[in-house]
Amino acid sequence: MKINRYEDISQIEREAKKDYIDRHSAFVLVDGTAKKGEKYKVKVKVGEEYLHPDDFDHYISWVQLWDGERMLAKTEFLAGTLGNAAGQTEVDFYVVPTKSTMKLMAHAYCTKHGLWQSDEVIVEVVD
């Protein structure tokens, strides 16, 4: 399966291509460092500037959160989750870190345009 990745849309001239890339791309959003053994919030957002459709045949089907090679969490969606209106899928995951560094990455799956992978986000974990 092909894995699509975000490209810096500020460098792209065609509006349709900017829209296509942004609305499918997953972004991992975190605040600062995490504490070992304590719940830590990780937000995954699909799309930053552009909205993704929520139609019966074209929607974000699932979002996964990974720490390196290990899947930490997954959530699934059905068509209509966003009220059949275009929007940005957002998921808050809560993880408990057990090692000194997390290498977080998200995957999002569009039923029409396949698998999209975020950039890796490094989170330092303190005692």
Side-chain angles (χ1 to χ4, degrees):
M1 176 183 295
K2 178 185 176 194
I3 298 176
N4 299 289
R5 290 178 171 55
Y6 179 77
E7 294 175 43
D8 182 359
I9 63 171
S10 69
Q11 306 301 312
I12 297 171
E13 293 191 25
R14 285 186 26 233
E15 189 68 23
K17 188 169 183 183
K18 286 182 184 183
D19 179 347
Y20 173 75
I21 292 169
D22 182 85
R23 71 178 167 164
H24 289 100
S25 296
F27 299 92
V28 174
L29 308 170
V30 295
D31 289 326
T33 58
K35 282 194 172 183
K36 192 173 190 175
E38 293 184 14
K39 254 195 316 188
Y40 183 69
K41 179 180 170 182
V42 180
K43 180 182 285 294
V44 176
K45 184 176 180 183
V46 181
E48 196 169 43
E49 296 179 35
Y50 296 85
L51 304 178
H52 191 279
D54 183 32
D55 300 327
F56 77 97
D57 65 341
H58 186 194
Y59 61 97
I60 300 299
S61 176
W62 51 259
V63 174
Q64 298 174 339
L65 178 64
W66 291 77
D67 180 9
E69 298 285 320
R70 183 173 158 236
M71 184 169 55
L72 299 175
K74 177 180 178 178
T75 190
E76 296 187 29
F77 301 96
L78 300 173
T81 298
L82 300 176
N84 297 112
Q88 293 165 324
T89 300
E90 293 184 26
V91 181
D92 290 340
F93 293 109
Y94 292 87
V95 298
V96 178
T98 58
K99 55 186 186 172
S100 60
T101 304
M102 292 188 294
K103 297 177 180 180
L104 301 176
M105 181 177 31
H107 288 161
Y109 186 79
C110 170
T111 57
K112 194 170 189 177
H113 298 104
L115 182 62
W116 291 76
Q117 178 176 300
S118 74
D119 290 335
E120 186 177 75
V121 174
I122 305 294
V123 176
E124 297 301 320
V125 180
V126 297
D127 287 325

